[in-house]
Amino acid sequence: MSAVLAAQAPAAASVAPAASIAIVLLGTGVVGGAFLKLLNTPAAASVRLVGAANSRRQQTEPHSLASRHLREQLNNLGEPRNDTGLLAALDAGAATARVIVDATASAALAARHAEWLGRGYHVVTANKALAGGELPGWRALQAAIAQGGRYGDAATVGAGLPVLSTLRRLRRCGDALLTLEGVFSGSLSWLFNQYDGSRPFSALLREARRLGYTEPDPRSDLSGEDVARKLLIIARHAGFALGVDEVDVQGLVPEPLRALDAEAFLARLEELDEPLAELHAGARSRGNVLRFLARLNQRGRARVGLVEVPPEHPAARLYGTDNQFALTTTRYNTQPLVIQGPGAGPEVTAQALLGDVLALG
Ligand SMILES: NC(=O)c1ccc[n+]([C@@H]2O[C@H](COP(=O)([O-])OP(=O)(O)OC[C@H]3O[C@@H](n4cnc5c(N)ncnc54)[C@H](OP(=O)(O)O)[C@@H]3O)[C@@H](O)[C@H]2O)c1
């Protein structure tokens, strides 16, 4: 097998594009790790990794960056974190595009995106903290983009499902978003697609956590805050300049469980059961189901929370961890344009990052 590959190698090498996109990767966790794997595939032949960092350490030395054990080596061989060293690595060499890939959830790094764009770097991000954060940050980002900065954000909503790109395309054609409704969380999608009253909600939640569908502390999912950030990002793309406090978020974590440490919270999951069982029984008696929806109406009112929907509602027909985005626009106004599919997971999120990086080449 290797002989066959070796025989083919010269031809393949002669057509391989030269590495023209230099990137620095911030974050080598679940998504960053999957992205590193993609960099070793032929699809990423035009991309050269010149720096990688986790929260404590970074690496810019080519030999270490090429290692399959880069993530492990960062902690042993890496230098202490400092953005200046990473940017210097991007500046060295003759790449035609210099890209910072943010695969963290760090608000401090997100706060630098606009500045990086202003300095001529491109930014590709899975980190929602800027576009889905405070309004001044969103405005600074839009100003930097207006000055020519290029911002890859496909991974911030729907893990690369073509939501933001579709919305931008519709708006370029003069269309406008009227309303938006959907399920923007893979874990909450799975939980309510499964929840039929036959098992307590807490049992399902434990299973979802075991399957890796929730964050280690499931309150990150149940609070609805991540869904709210995605709703803000889409609403802002649609022209609604909403502030963080303008999204009405009805999370699923009862007040007494909010301040507990993660271990104590996990020991008291059964306290979620009774209120949800009541809501479920009420919905079932009317022939309906429960879904954790994000909604934006025509007046820009944004809401996130548990909603009872009839069986013919698009969200009632979801499976697994699918996300769904139903866009009603001036031209899609009889039936909504529905974008649906896996909206979480490291492989598809990493692919969304790579797609945005390659678009800059
Ligand atoms: N997982 C998914 O399916 C998914 C889907 C769509 C979007 N996202 C988004 O993608 C981002 C990453 O998610 P994840 O699941 O990969 O998280 P994760 O596994 O917790 O990884 C986060 C990484 O960011 C690093 N980091 C934190 N602060 C940093 C800093 N200042 N400089 C450099 N690195 C820093 C962490 O370093 P340490 O290892 O040192 O802590 C870690 O390597 C998040 O914004 C998430 O919302 C995730």
Side-chain angles (χ1 to χ4, degrees):
M1 185 63 179
S2 58
V4 174
L5 285 179
Q8 289 173 344
S14 65
V15 295
S20 58
I21 307 173
I23 66 166
V24 154
L25 174 65
L26 304 175
T28 55
V30 175
V31 171
F35 182 76
L36 284 171
K37 281 192 191 141
L38 273 185
L39 287 184
N40 286 322
T41 65
S46 60
V47 181
R48 189 162 50 93
L49 182 70
V50 300
N54 62 25
S55 66
R56 289 154 286 114
R57 298 269 158 186
Q58 64 191 45
Q59 187 57 262
T60 53
E61 198 272 310
H63 185 69
S64 299
L65 288 170
S67 165
R68 280 194 299 124
H69 306 293
L70 168 60
R71 292 167 81 195
E72 297 75 26
Q73 286 184 2
L74 261 182
N75 291 326
N76 309 325
L77 304 174
E79 303 146 14
R81 269 296 272 120
N82 100 66
D83 287 353
T84 312
L86 291 173
L87 297 183
L90 268 184
D91 292 337
T96 51
R98 297 179 167 79
V99 188
I100 298 166
V101 179
D102 185 346
T104 78
S106 161
L109 286 183
R112 300 201 62 195
H113 288 181
E115 176 204 329
W116 289 332
L117 292 174
R119 291 173 60 180
Y121 304 108
H122 305 303
V123 176
V124 166
T125 184
N127 183 350
K128 298 175 270 291
L130 181 63
E134 298 294 339
L135 203 46
W138 162 263
R139 292 202 165 113
L141 174 61
Q142 296 316 298
I145 291 170
Q147 294 296 313
R150 291 179 66 189
Y151 197 63
D153 55 9
T156 59
V157 172
L161 289 178
V163 181
L164 297 177
S165 56
T166 300
L167 191 52
R168 279 192 282 262
R169 189 181 159 97
L170 295 178
R171 291 194 85 205
R172 269 201 303 275
C173 296
D175 203 351
L177 185 75
L178 299 178
T179 66
L180 167 72
E181 191 166 82
V183 174
F184 300 178
S185 154
S187 52
L188 292 169
S189 180
W190 187 87
L191 283 165
F192 287 101
N193 295 342
Q194 301 288 317
Y195 187 44
D196 60 5
S198 64
R199 292 170 67 195
F201 187 80
S202 56
L204 278 177
L205 186 55
R206 286 204 168 87
E207 186 179 344
R209 187 168 178 270
R210 201 170 48 248
L211 292 169
Y213 294 159
T214 71
E215 293 292 325
D217 182 342
R219 283 174 297 187
S220 310
D221 306 282
L222 299 174
S223 71
E225 294 299 336
D226 193 57
V227 172
R229 262 189 290 279
K230 292 174 189 167
L231 180 57
L232 265 184
I233 294 174
I234 305 176
R236 288 169 175 177
H237 271 88
F240 297 99
L242 297 182
V244 173
D245 53 3
E246 290 180 272
V247 185
D248 174 9
V249 185
Q250 300 293 327
L252 298 175
V253 186
E255 227 286 318
L257 304 187
R258 286 182 201 159
L260 301 176
D261 65 41
E263 207 177 323
F265 171 69
L266 291 170
R268 290 174 58 178
L269 289 188
E270 280 69 19
E271 290 176 39
L272 298 169
D273 291 341
E274 200 181 311
L276 284 169
E278 269 175 34
L279 287 174
H280 179 266
R284 186 157 63 180
S285 70
R286 290 177 282 276
N288 295 334
V289 294
L290 297 175
R291 292 293 182 262
F292 197 86
L293 291 187
R295 290 175 292 167
L296 178 73
N297 75 12
Q298 225 163 329
R299 295 186 304 283
R301 177 158 184 231
R303 284 174 295 165
V304 167
L306 203 57
V307 177
E308 191 177 316
V309 300
E312 62 275 13
H313 189 282
R317 298 191 293 263
L318 275 176
Y319 298 97
T321 57
D322 275 4
N323 278 200
Q324 185 182 74
F325 302 82
L327 288 73
T328 303
T329 71
T330 50
R331 292 178 190 141
Y332 288 99
N333 60 12
T334 315
Q335 290 292 328
L337 168 63
V338 180
I339 299 164
Q340 180 175 326
E347 281 81 19
V348 288
T349 308
Q351 174 160 273
L353 291 174
L354 181 61
D356 276 348
V357 167
L358 294 177
L360 297 166

